[in-house]
Amino acid sequence: MDAINLSDREFRQFQGMIHNVAGIHMTDVKKALVGGRLAKRLKQRGLASYGDYFNLVSQEKDEFQIAVDLLTTNETFFFREPKHFDRLRDQIIPELHGAREFRVWSAASSSGEEAYSIAMTLAETLGDKGWRVLGSDLSTKVLQQARSGHYTLKEAEDIPRAYLTKYCLKGVGPQDGTMLVSRALRERVEFRQINLNADLPRLGEFDVIFLRNVMIYFDLETKRKVVQRMLPMLRQGGYFIVSHSESLNGITDALKLVTPSVYHKP
């Protein structure tokens, strides 16, 4: 089958779809990315145009989820923006940890690297004492990998050597060149499909919420709504962490800025 061009009208259809479901604002420069990510599915389904594919995803729930997975998968890696994990280890955990279970939510966990980075930090600081991590994402595809805890050694390059040795298993034989997060650590991390752009399920309260490298895809009103939904789940005295390229300025006045990208709920 010859290459299929994505028309401006077809791009607008997918642009509107992903904004409605995920709150993601795709600018016009993303047109080539959308066409490239969906092209393989058109060929697999034997379709002649992106318009035909849009009609298909509008009718089939499973295909709709596949399209969402393809259009929302974002780059992530272990211990991204490491100062956040230093602060979690050195300041936040000693300040907040007490008799109750210490809970952290990685709210845009993608394929799990952030959630496991948090888990390693908690394990190193609290040992076997009560703690849990929730990782969530809209994409079922990345959540499947996250639950497996299986990564290439190249993907694991940013894990501190001591953590890699202590909390990960090196693959041998057919699994050479890969690593597996230890079962003990995986059992402390739950992954759930959650759409931050819709009403949230009842998740309980968290001491720390990580919402990093996702708001850059939202318009201002979507950012406000997402944060407003999440704030009731942050315990009094808890911390809300965004990426170094993001800010909650103009989004909420319920949190106090501690240091750029780190906010406190007084």
Side-chain angles (χ1 to χ4, degrees):
M1 183 184 289
D2 295 333
I4 303 172
N5 291 322
L6 175 66
S7 70
D8 289 342
R9 178 179 176 276
E10 291 166 335
F11 173 66
R12 296 275 181 263
Q13 289 178 308
F14 287 104
Q15 188 182 43
M17 181 194 86
I18 207 64
H19 185 269
N20 288 338
V21 68
I24 295 174
H25 176 62
M26 284 188 172
T27 60
D28 291 347
V29 298
K30 299 291 186 180
K31 180 182 174 182
L33 179 145
V34 170
R37 288 191 174 182
L38 298 180
K40 186 176 180 181
R41 289 303 296 172
L42 265 70
K43 294 180 180 180
Q44 289 174 338
R45 298 302 299 260
L47 299 174
S49 72
Y50 285 92
D52 289 343
Y53 185 63
F54 182 80
N55 291 335
L56 181 68
V57 301
S58 300
Q59 298 166 12
E60 294 187 8
K61 184 178 179 180
D62 289 347
E63 193 64 43
F64 176 82
Q65 184 62 55
I66 290 171
V68 169
D69 288 351
L70 289 169
L71 295 177
T72 58
T73 302
N74 300 307
E75 180 190 36
T76 185
F77 45 90
F78 286 99
F79 289 91
R80 186 177 190 175
E81 300 182 325
K83 287 184 179 179
H84 288 153
F85 300 99
D86 293 342
R87 179 172 287 272
L88 177 64
R89 181 193 66 225
D90 298 335
Q91 297 178 26
I92 297 176
I93 294 173
E95 176 188 333
L96 297 183
H97 184 251
R100 66 170 181 249
E101 185 175 67
F102 192 91
R103 302 183 73 223
V104 182
W105 181 12
S106 170
S109 62
S110 189
S111 45
E113 287 91 333
E114 179 180 89
Y116 287 126
S117 299
I118 294 168
M120 291 180 200
T121 305
L122 292 175
E124 192 67 14
T125 311
L126 299 176
D128 292 331
K129 296 178 183 177
W131 60 267
R132 299 286 297 180
V133 177
L134 171 66
S136 69
D137 204 273
L138 180 61
S139 169
T140 55
K141 182 178 180 180
V142 296
L143 288 172
Q144 186 176 1
Q145 181 184 354
R147 291 187 184 104
S148 76
H150 193 208
Y151 303 91
T152 66
L153 289 179
K154 183 171 179 57
E155 290 170 324
E157 284 180 349
D158 293 308
I159 300 176
R161 176 61 57 181
Y163 288 10
L164 189 63
T165 303
K166 192 171 182 179
Y167 301 114
C168 306
L169 305 172
K170 186 177 181 181
V172 296
Q175 301 299 331
D176 187 41
T178 71
M179 72 86 175
L180 181 67
V181 176
S182 70
R183 178 181 294 274
L185 209 67
R186 282 183 282 127
E187 288 177 346
R188 295 288 192 111
V189 184
E190 177 191 4
F191 289 99
R192 292 180 59 174
Q193 184 189 28
I194 295 175
N195 185 355
L196 301 176
N197 196 45
D199 291 339
L200 299 175
R202 302 180 84 173
L203 302 172
E205 290 187 317
F206 297 90
D207 295 279
V208 187
I209 295 177
F210 281 70
L211 183 68
R212 305 191 308 166
N213 300 295
V214 64
M215 286 195 296
I216 53 174
Y217 302 104
F218 298 157
D219 58 33
L220 181 59
E221 187 57 29
T222 302
K223 292 176 183 178
R224 287 172 175 162
K225 289 179 178 178
V226 167
V227 173
Q228 186 177 28
R229 289 188 197 102
M230 299 176 74
L231 282 181
M233 299 183 188
L234 183 64
R235 283 187 175 125
Q236 213 71 34
Y239 288 85
F240 197 102
I241 300 176
V242 300
S243 78
H244 291 301
S245 62
E246 298 167 323
S247 167
L248 297 182
N249 185 34
I251 295 172
T252 181
D253 57 5
L255 299 173
K256 180 182 178 181
L257 180 66
V258 176
T259 190
S261 73
V262 178
Y263 295 80
H264 181 247
K265 185 176 183 179

